[in-house]
Amino acid sequence: MMSRHFPHSRKCSTRRVSRRRACLLAAVMIGSSACADHGGDQASASPVPTFLTDQTLCEVVPRQLLEDGLCFYPTDFSYWHSPGHNSSRDIFDCRIHGIRMPQGLQSSLAVSYFIGGKLGAGAGGTEFTELDDKGLSRITFDDTQGRGCIWSDDDRGRWIIGAWLYPDVDIHTLGIRFYLNDPRTANDENLSLNYDQNDINAMTELLHALVLAVPPVAAGPASERITSTSYSQG
């Protein structure tokens, strides 16, 4: 896999690190010997967390937007989609795993497109209409119909969720969830993504991109679960 450097970004540029520095940090934080110049026995080497170079993940997610906006560097992803009848009841599901910098925390992004007005993507099967009772600010985009919102768990900083309701007969919804899934949280409740308004803005931009990109992919030929990973043996 060709190496690449972390790009300048509107948010991450103030804490930009080299690819090797980021790899070393990720390796230390997840407890592996990754990125070392191994000269001895390779048999016991731990998986090395390198980063994906695909421009688009799960056919719809812009990798650069994840890196520039969320400081989230993907290491692997899996997804599937299935069309319904005449573009009705189309379904799409994607999971992307990686490292949130500069904390070096294992994090994930979930994207789900379902029918019936309920949210997937780890949003607990919430009815979209229930969000209206939360007093959340409504989001609309000029180039598409529907409405959405972004919210987070302000107390613990573990996740941010975006949701969109399409004005179609099957009441399709799109849910995106950026969340912490680092195993060290079991022993340290203070670990968090430390998100801020820049993360909210990035999630809004990502929601906009996916609102447009997901429906035609979901309506296309059915796909069994596809998995891509950048992990290798060190």
Side-chain angles (χ1 to χ4, degrees):
M1 178 173 294
M2 295 180 63
S3 64
R4 57 186 172 81
H5 295 288
F6 284 72
H8 285 288
S9 69
R10 62 171 183 244
K11 179 188 175 198
C12 305
S13 59
T14 58
R15 53 181 184 244
R16 187 185 183 196
V17 291
S18 70
R19 164 166 287 276
R20 180 165 179 77
R21 168 66 176 164
C23 188
L24 285 168
L25 176 58
V28 170
M29 297 300 282
I30 67 175
S32 78
S33 57
C35 309
D37 294 324
H38 299 284
D41 184 12
Q42 300 293 313
S44 60
S46 301
V48 176
T50 55
F51 303 108
L52 293 173
T53 58
D54 311 56
Q55 293 302 309
T56 304
L57 312 178
C58 301
E59 297 186 49
V60 296
V61 181
R63 173 184 53 78
Q64 202 70 47
L65 179 54
L66 301 183
E67 296 182 359
D68 291 355
L70 294 171
C71 297
F72 176 55
Y73 293 83
T75 56
D76 62 275
F77 67 86
S78 64
Y79 73 102
W80 66 275
H81 49 83
S82 177
H85 178 67
N86 293 328
S87 297
S88 172
R89 302 180 180 275
D90 303 332
I91 297 174
F92 177 92
D93 185 82
C94 164
R95 296 293 185 273
I96 301 173
H97 307 292
I99 306 296
R100 161 80 165 193
M101 293 299 177
Q103 303 100 317
L105 295 174
Q106 295 181 60
S107 304
S108 297
L109 178 76
V111 181
S112 298
Y113 177 70
F114 288 123
I115 62 171
K118 287 189 176 182
L119 295 172
T126 303
E127 293 278 355
F128 190 96
T129 53
E130 294 178 19
L131 301 179
D132 295 331
D133 298 330
K134 295 180 178 292
L136 301 172
S137 298
R138 179 177 297 191
I139 297 172
T140 59
F141 301 123
D142 293 338
D143 53 358
T144 189
Q145 295 182 325
R147 59 189 175 92
C149 54
I150 303 283
W151 74 100
S152 59
D153 65 332
D154 295 324
D155 294 335
R156 302 191 66 185
R158 299 293 180 92
W159 49 258
I160 310 173
I161 292 179
W164 188 263
L165 180 66
Y166 293 86
D168 59 21
V169 66
D170 292 299
I171 321 178
H172 273 97
T173 61
L174 177 73
I176 59 174
R177 181 178 185 237
F178 181 50
Y179 61 99
L180 181 65
N181 65 339
D182 197 298
R184 289 170 296 150
T185 58
N187 300 315
D188 188 350
E189 294 184 354
N190 294 319
L191 287 177
S192 74
L193 292 173
N194 293 325
Y195 58 76
D196 56 23
Q197 186 58 46
N198 285 323
D199 295 308
I200 300 296
N201 295 342
M203 284 290 282
T204 303
E205 186 175 352
L206 179 60
L207 180 64
H208 184 198
L210 297 182
V211 161
L212 300 172
V214 169
V217 173
S223 170
E224 296 182 356
R225 184 164 292 278
I226 299 172
T227 300
S228 176
T229 180
S230 64
Y231 272 70
S232 62
Q233 289 299 121

